Amino acid sequence: MGRKKTTEERLQEKMEEMNVLSEQIKVLKARQKEEDRKKKLDLQIKIGKSVESVLGRDLEFDDVKKLEKYLKDQDSRGGYFTKAMNKQQKSIDNQSDSTDHQKIATE
């Protein structure tokens, strides 16, 4: 039969476990941060490709400033871009809500 561990020994074991978990958490957070960075970069590339597709040419650095100014000023011209983007997002949200309801109803 083994001897019973003292409270101090058990405390030391738990502290070691906590340190191991803390390191694992740091690794997982770093991995998540890297995944998020890659997703954002992928989105930025897709946006750039979409703009180039509409323009029919490659983007140049001054084009980015022009696009940014155009998007900021579009509210004074009726905000069609913002309305279209928000409308599409609401439509997507509504579709996923109805899909969720359908899933629940079938379960």
Side-chain angles (χ1 to χ4, degrees):
M1 255 165 101
R3 70 173 180 84
K4 228 178 176 183
K5 294 181 182 177
T6 66
T7 304
E8 188 175 322
E9 290 170 331
R10 289 182 14 226
L11 179 61
Q12 184 62 32
E13 283 180 359
K14 294 298 179 187
M15 292 296 285
E16 289 171 10
E17 288 175 24
M18 189 172 74
N19 290 338
V20 168
L21 288 174
S22 178
E23 286 301 315
Q24 290 174 349
I25 288 171
K26 284 180 186 178
V27 168
L28 289 172
K29 283 183 178 182
R31 187 178 299 156
Q32 182 66 52
K33 187 176 179 180
E34 181 66 16
E35 288 173 6
D36 291 346
R37 187 192 66 74
K38 286 181 180 180
K39 285 179 185 177
K40 186 173 181 173
L41 181 59
D42 185 54
L43 178 61
Q44 291 169 336
I45 290 169
K46 287 178 182 177
I47 291 169
K49 286 180 179 179
S50 295
V51 172
E52 287 181 343
S53 171
V54 170
L55 288 176
R57 64 178 174 82
D58 290 344
L59 283 173
E60 297 176 8
F61 284 103
D62 346 338
D63 292 331
V64 175
K65 290 179 184 176
K66 290 177 193 174
L67 177 61
E68 184 178 1
K69 182 177 181 343
Y70 176 81
L71 291 173
K72 285 181 181 178
D73 293 345
Q74 60 94 27
D75 285 334
S76 65
R77 295 185 302 275
Y80 299 109
F81 177 79
T82 302
K83 289 176 186 174
M85 293 300 288
N86 289 338
K87 180 180 177 184
Q88 185 177 3
Q89 185 59 44
K90 287 178 185 174
S91 170
I92 291 170
D93 290 344
N94 290 338
Q95 286 175 357
S96 62
D97 286 347
S98 65
T99 306
D100 291 343
H101 294 300
Q102 290 171 355
K103 286 180 185 175
I104 292 169
T106 59
E107 290 177 350

